[in-house]
Amino acid sequence: MSDLADPNTGQIRWRDLTLRIKRYDPEKDREPHWQEFKIQAHPMDRVLDVLMKVKWEQDDSIALRKSCAHGICGSDAMRINGQNNLACKLLVQNVKGKTITVEPILGLPVIKDLIVDMKPFFDHYKAVMPFLVNDDPAPTTERLQTPEQRARFDDTTKCILCACCTTACPPFWGNREYVGPAAIVNAHRFIFDSRDQGAGERLDILNDSEGIWRCRTVFNCTSACPRGIQVTQAISEVKRALITGVVDIPEEAEVLS
Amino acid sequence: MSTPTYHRFESIIVGSGGAGLMAALHSSKEVGTAVVSKLYPTRSHTGAAAGGIAAALSNIEDDSWENHAYDTIKGGDFVVDQTPVEILCREAVECIYDLEHMGLPFDRTPDGRISQRRFGGHTRPVPGNPSKREPVMRACHAADRTGHMILQTLYQQCIKQGVQFFDEYHMLDLIMVDGECRGIVAIEIATGRLHVFHAKSVLLATGGFGRMFKVTSNAYALTGDGPAIAYRHGIPLEDMEFYQFHPTGIYRLGILLTEGCRGDGGIMFNGKGERFMETYAPNMKELASRDVCSRSIYQEVQAGRGVNGKDFVYLDIRPETINRFKSSPLHKDGKDVDEHFIESRLSESLELSRTYLGIDPLKEPMPIQPTAHYAMGGTPTDFETRVLRNAAGEVVPGLYAAGESACVSVHGANRLGTNSLVDLVVFGRRAGKAMAQYAKSQDFREIPTDADAPTRKQIDTALAKPRTEPWIRIREELQTVMMDDCGVYRNTEGLARARKKVAELKSRYESTGIQDKGTVFNTGLLEYLELGCLIDLAAATVASAESRKESRGAHSREDFPDRDDVNHFNHTFAMRDGDTGVRIENRPVDVVYIEKDGQKVPKYPLEVRKY
Ligand SMILES: Cc1cc2nc3c(=O)[nH]c(=O)nc-3n(C[C@H](O)[C@H](O)[C@H](O)COP(=O)(O)OP(=O)(O)OC[C@H]3O[C@@H](n4cnc5c(N)ncnc54)[C@H](O)[C@@H]3O)c2cc1C
Ligand code: SF4
Ligand code: SF4
Ligand code: FES
């Protein structure tokens, strides 16, 4: 276990922790319930490492999703001490107190333990036409785009569809039909892409009664996003496009004409 | 037990990374196609790729697909099949434009074209002095999120095209009848129900298997299910001894810091503060190829020159360090780098270091160690992605493989950076087309009514067995022995030790079970079955490494330090022999010839691989 030692001092800095998990097994339980596990963790461990250690060493029936373990695949969104995060992006040393409380993200049906049904989330994503629309015949090489035009939608290309934002959004908790911030982020990704021709249709979809106007600008989504996307800003840019009827994309520079 | 759910599709694609999705786009244009994946498509590890995707577009510097082919063959230390490499490098260009038309947000040059950058091992002849080579800008990129963008773009196109997905379905078996593949068996993770997918053509695109090693850049899901399940049906594993260790993994965690860190001037220091790459690769230094850098770090650590005598060294990307050594490409133009430059070029790496090490790389160096990264080997295929049944090159009708789980072989003994993503799109596309064509020419052939019986039995046995020991211990011991005895360096004793250990672990694995006996999201069961795949692949890897008594590319034998073209200029085919044995066969390398002065000569003659 020497590989857990502090690289500078050689000392192992174990921390005694309680991991409190909200458990639910549809084959056994009528209601979710809390279960506590005692564990020694290293301050540099990810919360995901702590969960896996408990799963592997104490109870392999604990169910959670995981894959990349470094915040790029979007599998392990959960509520950790009351805040949405990826379990693989939060280190033990950044958790306050001696108890780590984990529960499934809110607003989606729980299947087992920390696993929720992602279908409603992905359905909203698919509903906003999250793909490039361009019916002009493709040139033999690339379509041109200036670096400024490319930068216009850079922020919203970072989305990993983890659902941290949508499941932190109070209007979504109240109404699962609301399209939610993640879908709007992905609509923004294309609406502001100079190569795209589907902005009008996407804006119509978002103008629907379950669309963007359900957003009350509470900012929960932005602080929940593990990719640091300015979610609320993207939403307000889409709202502005709806109100003004103008999608502001940098002009093509002369070099491209 | 309950009867399985039956489905019928002309074409079934297992895996939804870059290779699987590219194949799905092309297959579904022509025939009924479904994608089966144990992860939601956007969770696939293609999304973790950072650096770029290679194609000789000549957008910034003059380049040609022939240059790219030469680099790929040399990078692979020549045990590379040259016909598929030429296909790869030629079709790369077209595929990049395809991706751009699909909406991939590549970074741009000031004149609006796809931007390109340098990457280790990618070169061109020096203009005016063609006997020498210089680095060339060939890697197309979308910030340091190129893989993420490829995965997202392909998935978006699949949505647009209405491709059918079975998300969170885990393949557990292939349906093989009379030597043909006629479908797969998968478990629906949410319910525990078995599903039989009857098909005319099946693609294995299940990705790598870095989880065989203790320190890896690979996701938890990368357990080599496709190649392992095929292997159990008698299908060979090609070139398993060639496994790439990337030099700059975050200490202890293995998370990758992109090669771009060194491309932009990062320097590696040992515990004594020496820039040790000056000793091992005086010319290229930190920009020497991955296998060379990984071996150098290992040797420093062995000699007690790790930091604080431990098993890591430092990677330093502080502007003052880069400027002191003038190691950035900017220094060529007489410019220094500053924090803003590093921040804009390497934002993902900076964030990884800040999050997982608590270290700001602009202020402090980062502790790194080699991390298990990429499998050059896998299920053998021809350049139409048809799976080979033996070293003679006979194909398995109906079965295809592409992506990291396959071995076509374009990476040989060592893959160049940015060459995997291009492999995914080029051979994923070929797979989709070939599968559709084959399906159109065939009728559905019968499958047994109890096609799921072996899978049912496998699951029931795992659930019935008592847990004699936690299976995680078996996995940890496997990962440790593979890292120590079949890792960066290998030798006869170590490999023998690993062989015995893997056999012991296999029998311990077979006698222990799991705690979770449920059907809904029994992830304990699935991890346990994945471990079974890793154990079988480890046995084949060790046997292949024992059989190659030379050092080539990523395979370094301390007891056979030189390359041996007389005895080992060939591919290794590991065949399953009984329950635990491995039999080795060899297949000649595919060499392309040209006419020169009326004589047939190799187009890419063997040379010493030096950087
Ligand atoms: C950190 C990192 C950075 C990299 N950077 C680069 C780079 O810059 N350039 C480059 O060229 N290469 C890079 N690589 C390599 C490259 O990313 C991978 O080799 C490539 O993405 C593999 O793609 P794939 O489609 O074969 O598999 P993956 O993308 O790994 O997908 C595998 C798929 O198979 C599915 N699957 C697996 N088993 C089963 C099963 N039993 N049943 C059903 N489905 C299953 C999974 O769900 C998944 O969808 C990098 C690799 C890593 C790890
Ligand atoms: S800003 Fe809008 S979308 Fe975001 S959490 Fe608040 S209400 Fe929801
Ligand atoms: S916007 Fe951020 S929080 Fe929301 S799904 Fe995308 S990555 Fe996750
Ligand atoms: S496991 Fe991939 S984001 Fe956490």
Side-chain angles (χ1 to χ4, degrees):
Chain A
M1 279 289 162
S2 62
D3 58 349
L4 283 175
D6 183 317
N8 296 314
T9 65
Q11 296 292 308
I12 303 173
R13 301 166 295 161
W14 294 107
R15 240 173 94 174
D16 288 310
L17 286 177
T18 303
L19 182 67
R20 207 163 155 258
I21 308 181
K22 195 175 209 174
R23 306 239 17 210
Y24 172 68
D25 181 344
E27 294 173 282
K28 289 190 194 141
D29 307 325
R30 290 175 57 193
E31 291 287 319
H33 59 94
W34 292 97
Q35 189 176 1
E36 291 190 355
F37 297 89
K38 298 273 175 230
I39 179 133
Q40 279 204 322
H42 188 269
M44 297 301 283
D45 278 342
R46 299 161 276 206
V47 171
L48 179 65
D49 298 321
V50 176
L51 275 159
M52 295 318 292
K53 217 164 149 185
V54 168
K55 176 176 169 65
W56 289 330
E57 290 169 6
Q58 302 187 36
D59 182 353
D60 73 17
S61 75
I62 298 169
L64 66 148
R65 291 190 179 96
K66 58 164 197 317
S67 191
C68 71
H70 67 277
I72 188 66
C73 78
S75 293
D76 57 344
M78 51 189 80
R79 247 167 100 84
I80 305 168
N81 288 353
Q83 295 251 299
N84 281 5
N85 208 334
L86 301 170
C88 66
K89 257 205 131 165
L90 185 61
L91 298 191
V92 166
Q93 67 180 10
N94 297 330
V95 175
K96 286 201 195 83
K98 288 187 168 246
T99 302
I100 305 179
T101 304
V102 289
E103 54 190 312
I105 42 180
L106 299 179
L108 292 168
V110 177
I111 300 178
K112 180 178 175 185
D113 297 340
L114 301 167
I115 294 180
V116 299
D117 181 2
M118 295 292 289
K119 187 167 181 301
F121 174 81
F122 276 100
D123 284 347
H124 285 314
Y125 165 72
K126 290 173 191 165
V128 300
M129 304 168 56
F131 41 78
L132 190 83
V133 175
N134 186 326
D135 297 329
D136 297 342
T140 50
T141 64
E142 66 270 63
R143 292 195 165 102
L144 299 181
Q145 181 169 61
T146 65
E148 295 71 31
Q149 289 172 329
R150 166 64 182 78
R152 179 67 186 85
F153 62 99
D154 186 62
D155 199 36
T156 44
T157 65
K158 294 179 191 157
C159 175
I160 55 174
L161 298 168
C162 67
C164 277
C165 56
T166 297
T167 59
C169 167
F172 182 78
W173 297 337
N175 172 12
R176 212 181 279 156
E177 298 300 309
Y178 168 40
V179 63
I184 303 174
V185 161
N186 283 279
H188 178 283
R189 142 81 188 83
F190 289 101
I191 292 171
F192 291 91
D193 185 333
S194 59
R195 300 166 298 173
D196 183 77
Q197 302 170 337
E201 245 180 292
R202 273 187 217 99
L203 288 171
D204 282 346
I205 295 168
L206 291 175
N207 210 9
D208 182 84
S209 59
E210 304 295 356
I212 196 164
W213 305 111
R214 296 248 166 215
C215 166
R216 297 276 169 262
T217 323
V218 202
F219 286 97
N220 282 18
C221 48
T222 302
S223 53
C225 178
R227 302 283 291 157
I229 298 171
Q230 297 303 309
V231 182
T232 323
Q233 186 182 329
I235 294 174
S236 64
E237 288 175 5
V238 175
K239 283 181 178 170
R240 196 162 56 235
L242 268 167
I243 294 168
T244 61
V246 180
V247 176
D248 74 285
I249 294 177
E251 292 290 315
E252 293 196 356
E254 252 164 52
V255 278
L256 297 194
S257 49
Chain B
M1 275 305 282
S2 59
T3 49
T5 310
Y6 175 86
H7 310 263
R8 206 163 88 151
F9 290 93
E10 313 267 316
S11 164
I12 286 287
I13 287 157
V14 186
S16 56
L21 293 182
M22 194 72 181
L25 282 175
H26 287 276
S27 173
S28 67
K29 274 186 192 146
E30 299 184 56
V31 297
T33 301
V35 181
V36 172
S37 176
K38 68 181 178 184
L39 302 173
Y40 271 100
T42 55
R43 317 285 188 230
S44 303
H45 212 51
T46 293
I53 174 167
L57 303 184
S58 304
N59 275 2
I60 299 179
E61 292 174 334
D62 266 341
D63 196 5
S64 70
W65 70 261
E66 287 93 343
N67 291 341
H68 188 186
Y70 167 83
D71 290 336
T72 302
I73 291 166
K74 178 180 168 195
D77 220 348
F78 295 90
V79 286
V80 176
D81 287 340
Q82 298 177 1
T83 311
V85 166
E86 294 202 329
I87 291 172
L88 177 85
C89 301
R90 244 185 295 126
E91 294 185 5
V93 176
E94 211 176 297
C95 280
I96 295 291
Y97 294 138
D98 253 9
L99 289 172
E100 197 282 331
H101 298 156
M102 291 178 195
L104 200 140
F106 284 111
D107 290 341
R108 300 291 169 154
T109 62
D111 59 351
R113 316 197 60 172
I114 295 170
S115 174
Q116 298 186 281
R117 63 179 165 214
R118 290 179 185 166
F119 233 80
H122 291 280
T123 67
R124 64 171 180 178
V126 176
N129 185 5
S131 64
K132 284 210 147 142
R133 296 185 81 91
E134 63 175 17
V136 68
M137 295 191 187
R138 184 180 294 149
C140 311
H141 52 92
D144 42 7
R145 299 190 291 278
T146 313
H148 165 76
M149 301 297 199
I150 290 178
L151 188 66
Q152 296 281 331
T153 302
L154 293 176
Y155 185 55
Q156 292 156 2
Q157 289 297 307
C158 285
I159 293 174
K160 186 174 184 187
Q161 221 171 280
V163 173
Q164 193 164 351
F165 283 93
F166 290 86
D167 295 333
E168 301 196 319
Y169 280 57
H170 188 126
M171 173 190 62
L172 291 174
D173 200 10
L174 289 172
I175 302 173
M176 299 288 298
V177 186
D178 298 337
E180 293 179 3
C181 183
R182 297 186 187 170
I184 66 158
V185 179
I187 182 170
E188 181 182 359
I189 303 176
T191 61
R193 221 181 149 72
L194 290 185
H195 292 249
V196 166
F197 291 86
H198 189 178
K200 295 178 185 172
S201 42
V202 170
L203 175 72
L204 299 176
T206 60
F209 34 85
R211 286 281 154 179
M212 189 192 289
F213 300 94
K214 186 169 161 199
V215 177
T216 179
S217 65
N218 282 196
Y220 277 114
L222 293 178
T223 51
D225 306 359
I229 290 168
Y231 179 66
R232 290 174 190 159
H233 281 283
I235 291 161
L237 290 165
E238 183 177 356
D239 289 348
M240 293 295 281
E241 67 275 32
F242 297 132
Y243 198 94
Q244 182 174 78
F245 287 79
H246 195 294
T248 59
I250 289 185
Y251 178 54
R252 208 166 71 74
L253 298 177
I255 299 170
L256 197 75
L257 296 169
T258 173
E259 196 169 307
C261 291
R262 284 168 293 137
D264 282 327
I267 309 274
M268 297 198 291
F269 294 107
N270 64 17
K272 295 168 80 178
E274 296 159 343
R275 184 187 189 185
F276 56 89
M277 286 312 295
E278 281 176 335
T279 325
Y280 298 95
N283 253 331
M284 297 299 284
K285 303 188 186 77
E286 281 78 9
L287 295 179
S289 74
R290 291 176 179 178
D291 52 336
V292 175
C293 292
S294 288
R295 281 195 288 273
S296 309
I297 295 172
Y298 187 90
Q299 291 203 11
E300 288 300 297
V301 166
Q302 286 297 302
R305 292 192 293 271
V307 176
N308 299 329
K310 315 248 334 233
D311 53 346
F312 66 91
V313 297
Y314 280 136
L315 172 63
D316 193 338
I317 57 170
R318 288 177 293 185
E320 63 264 34
T321 307
I322 295 174
N323 291 335
R324 180 150 53 95
F325 288 92
K326 303 216 175 300
S327 48
S328 148
L330 286 191
H331 290 108
K332 269 194 158 176
D333 305 330
K335 284 189 230 153
D336 271 357
V337 306
D338 56 16
E339 293 198 350
H340 174 74
F341 176 80
I342 299 294
E343 192 88 52
S344 69
R345 301 273 292 200
L346 299 168
S347 63
E348 298 275 320
S349 297
L350 295 184
E351 197 195 318
L352 289 173
S353 173
R354 287 169 184 152
T355 305
Y356 295 110
L357 290 164
I359 285 177
D360 181 353
L362 297 174
K363 307 272 179 300
E364 278 178 84
M366 300 172 278
I368 52 147
Q369 71 183 148
T371 183
H373 184 55
Y374 184 84
M376 273 71 75
T379 303
T381 72
D382 65 9
F383 57 77
E384 299 295 358
T385 72
R386 297 181 298 183
V387 168
L388 306 183
R389 121 177 16 268
N390 52 32
E394 287 174 87
V395 303
V396 182
L399 189 60
Y400 299 77
E404 191 172 335
S405 64
C407 178
V408 245
S409 112
V410 289
H411 309 301
N414 174 61
R415 171 176 71 82
L416 293 184
T418 70
N419 258 357
S420 171
L421 292 175
V422 69
D423 171 5
L424 306 182
V425 294
V426 168
F427 289 100
R429 182 171 81 153
R430 288 190 150 246
K433 289 182 176 175
M435 293 171 77
Q437 206 175 19
Y438 180 76
K440 282 201 261 182
S441 72
Q442 300 290 315
D443 292 323
F444 279 100
R445 314 274 182 95
E446 257 182 52
I447 58 170
T449 46
D450 61 345
D452 64 318
T455 311
R456 184 79 268 158
K457 187 165 161 232
Q458 188 187 18
I459 293 175
D460 290 345
T461 318
L463 293 177
K465 270 186 290 197
R467 180 178 183 255
T468 51
E469 65 172 318
W471 54 262
I472 184 64
R473 212 180 291 153
I474 299 172
R475 199 176 79 179
E476 281 169 359
E477 288 177 33
L478 179 77
Q479 291 170 333
T480 302
V481 73
M482 290 304 286
M483 194 83 190
D484 292 349
D485 288 328
C486 197
V488 174
Y489 277 104
R490 290 118 187 229
N491 60 45
T492 305
E493 299 84 65
L495 289 171
R497 203 161 45 230
R499 170 162 35 82
K500 287 195 201 98
K501 184 73 186 181
V502 173
E504 173 212 312
L505 293 172
K506 177 149 175 119
S507 77
R508 276 166 55 192
Y509 172 76
E510 273 163 7
S511 55
T512 192
I514 50 176
Q515 287 164 296
D516 191 348
K517 309 290 184 195
T519 53
V520 175
F521 266 97
N522 190 336
T523 51
L525 170 69
L526 295 175
E527 283 189 60
Y528 170 85
L529 295 174
E530 289 172 337
L531 172 58
C533 292
L534 289 176
I535 292 175
D536 287 355
L537 295 181
T541 302
V542 173
S544 304
E546 286 188 293
S547 81
R548 188 172 287 278
K549 295 184 169 55
E550 64 159 353
S551 290
R552 183 188 295 271
H555 175 69
S556 288
R557 291 279 305 245
E558 285 165 325
D559 37 2
F560 300 99
D562 299 320
R563 195 172 88 186
D564 175 359
D565 289 326
V566 177
N567 295 302
H568 289 292
F569 181 58
N570 54 23
H571 297 291
T572 311
F573 273 51
M575 320 278 289
R576 188 161 181 248
D577 195 4
D579 208 28
T580 51
V582 185
R583 190 179 78 247
I584 300 292
E585 293 179 8
N586 292 111
R587 180 173 161 79
V589 173
D590 167 5
V591 173
V592 172
Y593 290 91
I594 47 168
E595 288 271 320
K596 206 172 179 183
D597 309 324
Q599 286 211 319
K600 240 178 87 177
V601 294
K603 186 167 171 188
Y604 306 94
L606 284 171
E607 54 178 271
V608 179
R609 180 168 163 262
K610 265 213 317 250
Y611 286 99

